[in-house]
Amino acid sequence: MESQVQPKLIIHGGAGSSLHGKGGLEAVRRSLHTVIEEVYSLLLCGATASEAVVHGCQMLEDNPRFNAGTGSVLQSDGQIRMSASLMDGASGRFSGVINISRVKNPIELAQFLQSSPDRVLSDFGSAELAREMQLPSYNALTDLRLQEWIQERQDNFKSAMAGVVAEPELLETSNAGRGTIGVVALDASGRLAAGTSTGGKGFERIGRVSDSAMPAGNYATSNAGVSCTGIGEDIIDECLAPRIVVRVTDGMSLKEAMQRSFREAHQNQRDLGAIALDASGAIAWGKTSEILLAAYHDGEKIGDTLEWTGNELIGYC
């Protein structure tokens, strides 16, 4: 009989500039805490880490406040192309879809591909898989994202990227956000999993590939799991998620692995964030940006990072 451990859970809704306005902060907090409450209850009822991660990602994808699924940003040609991946730490399997359009929950395709011999599919392959799965066609566009794109088109796409959350009152500037969602879970059997989903950075060149469908941005083993957010190219250059996981595997504590990895990222002037769990139940988060939209359940209570604006690169519990 497997020994039972206390489940742990951490999620994120992106990173970026400071939220301003109490109503804005509280709206994001409610959104994140609602996901934590529902997904943590699933873990207490025996859900596997992968099941919990997929459910949490679906909830975040369905919330237009975040740049994944519904509310995804538009690329330079006005199209929505989403990417998502899932890694099951127990099996060591990574799966994902890149630049898929017209589906509601890209994480569902990543989950389906866990049992496939071909586990990462690009745009055409992802679209064919969605047809095979008989997923209904879905338009993820919101009015706010359309207006954002129209405005940027008039400005000849001078913004580097779109906002992290799809509500203008939550942003200091329209180009201040790095939008992704992610979930990392430790289940009652001690298994870890990580999932990440994104609509991209917005206004990007057609064919650009996000870190969210790469191990660089989403990685888990039996030792640790990490989901990243921020500038995808910076995350890829740091190979951030596996860098942290490998350091834990090689004997560092999660805190030490996060501290070293984020110190290096800061020295390299990267713009990114990450959430992490290890097999012992340690929870950690880090950022080089101003804000990380993350929430967690430590087995006793819910906490979040929404008002964490200091100069520290990491936090943990």
Side-chain angles (χ1 to χ4, degrees):
M1 180 178 176
E2 291 180 322
S3 60
Q4 297 291 292
V5 301
Q6 180 70 50
K8 300 291 176 68
L9 178 68
I10 186 166
I11 68 174
H12 72 74
S17 174
S18 60
L19 299 164
H20 65 140
K22 190 71 172 173
L25 185 148
E26 289 305 323
V28 174
R29 177 166 282 147
R30 283 194 302 272
S31 294
L32 293 175
H33 285 210
T34 296
V35 176
I36 287 286
E37 288 169 1
E38 185 166 323
V39 176
Y40 196 76
S41 68
L42 293 177
L43 286 167
L44 291 178
C45 290
T48 67
S50 282
E51 290 167 345
V53 164
V54 170
H55 190 80
C57 285
Q58 287 171 326
M59 292 183 71
L60 290 162
E61 287 174 339
D62 290 345
N63 189 327
R65 180 167 282 116
F66 304 111
N67 173 25
T70 302
S72 288
V73 297
L74 280 64
Q75 296 192 352
S76 57
D77 63 347
Q79 298 300 308
I80 289 173
R81 297 179 181 91
M82 302 166 286
S83 297
S85 67
L86 173 67
M87 189 158 186
D88 185 305
S91 65
R93 287 191 166 204
F94 180 96
S95 58
V97 289
I98 297 170
N99 289 337
I100 187 167
S101 302
R102 307 202 71 82
V103 298
K104 186 178 184 184
N105 296 111
I107 194 67
E108 289 183 9
L109 285 87
Q111 181 185 34
F112 182 89
L113 288 168
Q114 277 282 303
S115 58
S116 169
D118 305 311
R119 293 203 302 272
V120 181
L121 299 180
S122 64
D123 46 5
F124 296 116
S126 299
E128 184 61 31
L129 176 62
R131 284 192 288 271
E132 289 177 20
M133 293 173 66
Q134 298 184 318
L135 296 178
S137 180
Y138 180 77
N139 184 3
L141 180 66
T142 62
D143 288 342
L144 194 143
R145 288 304 193 191
L146 178 59
Q147 294 305 313
E148 181 182 71
W149 182 83
I150 290 171
Q151 180 179 337
E152 287 301 325
R153 189 182 183 196
Q154 291 170 345
D155 293 338
N156 199 28
F157 299 116
K158 291 177 182 175
S159 286
M161 65 208 67
V164 65
V165 287
E167 288 190 11
E169 67 271 19
L170 298 180
L171 296 171
E172 285 190 341
T173 61
S174 64
N175 65 347
R178 272 64 76 184
T180 318
I181 64 92
V183 181
V184 185
L186 173 71
D187 66 27
S189 297
R191 295 169 296 208
L192 288 156
T196 308
S197 182
T198 187
K201 62 182 179 181
F203 323 127
E204 63 263 55
R205 181 189 294 269
I206 301 165
R208 181 256 184 186
V209 175
S210 163
D211 69 287
S212 298
M214 297 184 188
N218 188 72
Y219 199 72
T221 66
S222 59
N223 298 295
V226 176
S227 171
C228 300
T229 182
I231 304 296
E233 286 72 12
D234 285 1
I235 294 165
I236 293 165
D237 289 345
E238 290 294 298
C239 205
L240 185 63
R243 175 176 290 197
I244 295 165
V245 172
V246 167
R247 282 175 164 163
V248 174
T249 302
D250 286 348
M252 279 191 184
S253 69
L254 182 61
K255 176 185 172 183
E256 291 169 335
M258 290 284 284
Q259 280 180 328
R260 181 175 293 187
S261 300
F262 273 86
R263 189 164 60 245
E264 291 165 349
H266 181 66
Q267 290 168 349
N268 292 332
Q269 298 183 310
R270 310 298 193 194
D271 191 341
L272 43 74
I275 57 173
L277 291 175
D278 73 9
S280 75
I283 304 172
W285 52 91
K287 63 175 174 61
T288 60
S289 55
E290 191 172 341
I291 284 289
L292 176 69
L293 308 182
Y296 56 88
H297 201 303
D298 65 5
E300 296 181 358
K301 64 185 184 304
I302 295 174
D304 64 55
T305 67
L306 300 185
E307 296 178 88
W308 174 45
T309 57
N311 294 323
E312 305 95 342
L313 292 172
I314 72 155
Y316 57 92
C317 64

